[in-house]
Amino acid sequence: MTTSRTRAEPRPAYQCDACGHQPPKWLGRCPECNEWGSIVESTLTGPVVSGRVVSSRLPSEPARPIATISAAPARAVPSGVSELDRVLGGGLVPGAVVLLAGEPGVGKSTLLLDVAQQWAAGAGTPSLVVSGEESVSQVRLRAERLGALHERLYLASESDLGAVIGHLDAVKPGLLIIDSVQTISAPGTEGVPGGVTQVRAVTAALVSVAKERGIATVLVGHVTKDGSVAGPRVLEHLVDVVLHFEGDKHSSLRLVRGVKNRFGAADEVGCFEMHETGIVSLADPSGLFLTRYNEPVPGTCVTVAMEGRRAMVTEVQALIGAQVQGSPRRTVSGLDSARLAMVLAVLQRRMEKIKLHDREVFAATVGGIRVTEPSADLAMALAVASGALNLAMAPHLVAIGEVGLTGEVRRVGAAGRRLAEAARLGFRFALVPPGCGPGEGDSAPKGMRVVEVGDLQSAVQWAARASAE
């Protein structure tokens, strides 16, 4: 009498030697890879997934000691756009996939067309721009305006993934730009173009092709109303680099901010300026955020904000309006309204000469930059105090520090880098929190006097003293 086979015992099964497919019975031809005579009987042991045994098979490439693997194929190739290379960590890595997301009209297509032209001119391999939103004639018109014409720069207008891969076979580019990934559809995949299923399938296929052929690939992505990347969250996990392209349509300043980067720092920021003739890298953007005055003006103070690892000298302006009945307005531009409200409350409480409860207050930054970090609190407070007391701050003064509710000035990070940038631009006097000045054995930046202030009262006194000098 036969006994039933127990689950712990190995069971006979059939497997294709060519592709590893496991049919339920022996077949003369593998239904997966169509290979004849490849189905063999074997005894499989291993973990069970979805009712099937996962058996070991010979890998396509054996594991090797890490010291014997060459890193040369993954070296970054400069794109020709310095500020983009700064954010990427040196350039575009062959086989890497970059996702660039931003609001409509911010300049994504303009920037990438310049990158494609610079790559074609300097990398020695063709670049291919595939647009699913515009015709090739429309892209050509923009290229003429930007001066981005090159014989190794190829254009195509496609919305089918199979056609895109066909262009790759014909052109064999070193750089591929897809504008945008939401407009490409994968045949055989359910859903409409731009849907979650389609975007996931298209991105996975493009990542696979980029890794297999060593093509640096840039995917343009749409954003939602809250500024996040549209589509499934897995989209950001599939790619190697995620960049956000930010900027106000009413300002010429554009920022490329790194969010994820497998090949470099993920907190770098690249600065660009938009012109009628294109987009230009800004290696030294601090001049955009300062105003030069013939005479000192009350209501201004300069601070140093950190955008990623980059220090930017920024001017904060404040205007104290007339007395009003009821609730006075508190209007901000480029600053955090909640932090301004807190700074005003601290000034009202800790400074006897400053009365703001019935005065309108307007505060703003210069040049369209947005500063929300706490290190701008001290400059914001001094700008408001300057306007309220009609005391002009010294043009060579810079203030850095976070303000607490008790009026104390708290330390901030990257103080040395902030002071070095301010000294480079000619600022000679700096107010910083305790512990942020030069330590024992260290010296302040050349030509700069650094004073540590513990509270708002002493900060205003030192600022008035610097104005008198």
Side-chain angles (χ1 to χ4, degrees):
M1 180 177 178
T2 60
T3 59
S4 62
R5 190 180 305 275
T6 62
R7 181 173 299 179
E9 295 178 355
R11 62 182 182 86
Y14 301 94
Q15 183 179 18
C16 175
D17 278 342
C19 67
H21 178 65
Q22 299 174 12
K25 61 181 181 178
W26 184 89
L27 298 172
R29 185 180 185 181
C30 176
E32 190 72 20
C33 64
N34 297 324
E35 187 73 19
W36 288 95
S38 61
I39 303 296
V40 296
E41 182 178 352
S42 62
T43 301
L44 302 178
T45 58
V48 178
V49 178
S50 299
R52 299 179 62 185
V53 177
V54 179
S55 61
S56 63
R57 55 180 301 190
L58 187 65
S60 58
E61 184 177 351
R64 293 180 291 165
I66 189 172
T68 65
I69 299 175
S70 174
R75 299 292 183 192
V77 179
S79 67
V81 180
S82 59
E83 286 298 295
L84 182 62
D85 291 341
R86 176 191 182 102
V87 182
L88 293 173
L92 291 163
V93 176
V97 180
V98 179
L99 176 63
L100 178 65
E103 294 184 357
V106 74
K108 302 184 297 297
S109 301
T110 301
L111 173 63
L112 293 180
L113 191 57
D114 185 28
V115 171
Q117 188 271 336
Q118 296 286 351
W119 180 281
T125 57
S127 58
L128 173 62
V129 177
V130 179
S131 176
E133 301 174 348
E134 300 176 281
S135 67
V136 291
S137 298
Q138 292 172 326
V139 179
R140 164 63 193 254
L141 286 176
R142 188 189 309 118
E144 286 183 354
R145 177 172 56 87
L146 303 177
L149 300 177
H150 197 277
E151 59 183 5
R152 287 200 297 267
L153 171 56
Y154 291 81
L155 300 178
S157 179
E158 296 290 351
S159 59
D160 181 77
L161 180 61
V164 173
I165 297 177
H167 285 297
L168 295 179
D169 295 335
V171 178
K172 295 180 172 56
L175 171 64
L176 170 64
I177 296 175
I178 304 292
D179 187 9
S180 65
V181 67
Q182 277 85 3
T183 61
I184 307 298
S185 60
T189 304
E190 297 180 355
V192 297
V196 172
T197 306
Q198 283 283 349
V199 170
R200 183 190 299 115
V202 169
T203 304
L206 291 174
V207 169
S208 177
V209 171
K211 303 296 183 186
E212 179 184 350
R213 306 189 185 189
I215 304 173
T217 304
V218 181
L219 308 178
V220 176
H222 297 168
V223 295
T224 59
K225 291 182 179 179
D226 60 356
S228 59
V229 181
R233 192 68 176 181
V234 71
L235 183 64
E236 300 181 44
H237 293 282
L238 287 174
V239 300
D240 301 299
V241 182
V242 179
L243 305 179
H244 282 188
F245 200 9
E246 305 171 357
D248 187 353
K249 294 181 180 180
H250 304 291
S251 172
S252 62
L253 178 66
R254 299 291 186 270
L255 298 179
V256 175
R257 191 183 306 274
V259 178
K260 170 189 175 182
N261 192 349
R262 290 175 178 166
F263 312 109
D267 57 352
E268 278 287 4
V269 173
C271 296
F272 299 86
E273 188 173 11
M274 183 69 75
H275 296 283
E276 293 181 358
T277 57
I279 191 166
V280 180
S281 297
L282 287 178
D284 187 10
S286 294
L288 290 176
F289 315 130
L290 296 174
T291 304
R292 301 299 181 184
Y293 302 98
N294 294 328
E295 297 292 337
V297 178
T300 68
C301 189
V302 177
T303 188
V304 185
M306 294 298 297
E307 286 287 351
R309 297 187 176 186
R310 167 174 280 177
M312 294 185 181
V313 178
T314 306
E315 180 181 342
V316 178
Q317 298 180 342
L319 175 64
I320 310 302
Q323 293 181 340
V324 296
Q325 297 293 331
S327 300
R329 286 185 295 176
R330 305 287 192 251
T331 305
V332 298
S333 176
L335 296 167
D336 188 351
S337 58
R339 299 208 69 85
L340 175 65
M342 185 198 72
V343 168
L344 294 180
V346 174
L347 283 172
Q348 174 90 7
R349 179 69 174 174
R350 305 300 173 187
M351 302 287 293
E352 296 181 357
K353 295 182 179 180
I354 298 179
K355 303 300 180 182
L356 302 170
H357 63 280
D358 58 350
R359 306 287 292 273
E360 293 183 333
V361 179
F362 305 87
T365 57
V366 173
I369 188 172
R370 180 165 178 78
V371 180
T372 57
E373 61 172 333
S375 64
D377 288 353
L378 183 57
M380 195 187 310
L382 291 179
V384 173
S386 172
L389 301 175
N390 198 28
L391 172 66
M393 294 292 161
H396 56 270
L397 170 69
V398 63
I400 305 167
E402 178 185 356
V403 175
L405 293 179
T406 60
E408 82 278 11
V409 180
R410 300 173 182 170
R411 63 186 305 169
V412 297
R417 198 177 306 166
R418 299 174 196 260
L419 293 175
E421 177 66 13
R424 186 183 68 84
L425 293 178
F427 289 88
R428 305 191 306 272
F429 197 96
L431 299 178
V432 299
C436 290
E440 295 184 4
D442 298 332
S443 58
K446 186 177 180 180
M448 173 176 281
R449 181 184 180 187
V450 180
V451 176
E452 298 183 358
V453 291
D455 53 48
L456 275 181
Q457 188 78 31
S458 58
V460 174
Q461 292 174 356
W462 275 106
R465 186 178 304 179
S467 302
E469 294 180 358

